[in-house]
Amino acid sequence: MRLRELVETSVAVGATRSRTAKRDALAALLAAAAPEEVPAAVAFGSGTLLQLVHGLLARADGDEQRFLVRLLLGDLGQGALAGVMVERVARAAGLPAAEVRRALMLRGDLPAVAALALSEGSAGLGALRLEVGRPVAPMLASTAADLGAALSRIVPAAVEWKLDGARIQVHRDGEDVQIFSRTLDEVTPRLVDVLPHPRPWPGTVAGTGTMPA
């Protein structure tokens, strides 16, 4: 796949308000990509970077450079970010979107999940399991037209106050504990006070707080 194909697809996706047209264009792009090209196509197509692009910018033409700059700024302006890209990956691979969402939750890496979906299909995604030390992606909420429509999807439903604070997930393997943020970044060095056995990390001072092991 050439960068020009990705740019032309991005332009087409950004020029239409039709979710179906966006879906079909992105799915066709992914279906035509070679297995080793899928991670980059998914990442770039949903507005994220995999690597530095200095050399690529030097070789790119004007339209391609503008696309890459928008990609660097995190604003492709095409209405196809990661949440939307999951459905496109599923369509390109001929799989139910639920299977791709499950795999993304367990793997936490959409480009990697897309490559697996398009190369190994349902069997490859189904082989993914929970793994200590690999953060689990949070479940994403979907929108509804109004409160009534939202409550009709979940019966019975309960509503509670939303408390502000940091959401974390803790992974433990014996004495080894890792803490991850909602964005799947490891934040263990910042939260040594909640470890069962606080220990010093580079640039930090171990606290004295404890947590049941």
Side-chain angles (χ1 to χ4, degrees), residues 3-4 7-8 11 56-71:
L3 177 62
R4 167 56 55 185
V7 171
E8 289 174 350
V11 170
L56 184 58
L57 278 171
R59 300 193 303 272
D61 63 25
D63 288 339
E64 294 169 344
Q65 287 178 347
R66 283 187 284 275
F67 172 84
L68 291 170
V69 169
R70 292 200 307 273
L71 183 61

Side-chain angles (χ1 to χ4, degrees), residues 179 181 183 185-194 201 204:
I179 304 173
S181 70
T183 56
D185 297 312
E186 184 173 1
V187 293
T188 313
R190 306 180 210 169
L191 299 172
V192 292
D193 283 343
V194 301
W201 288 74
T204 67

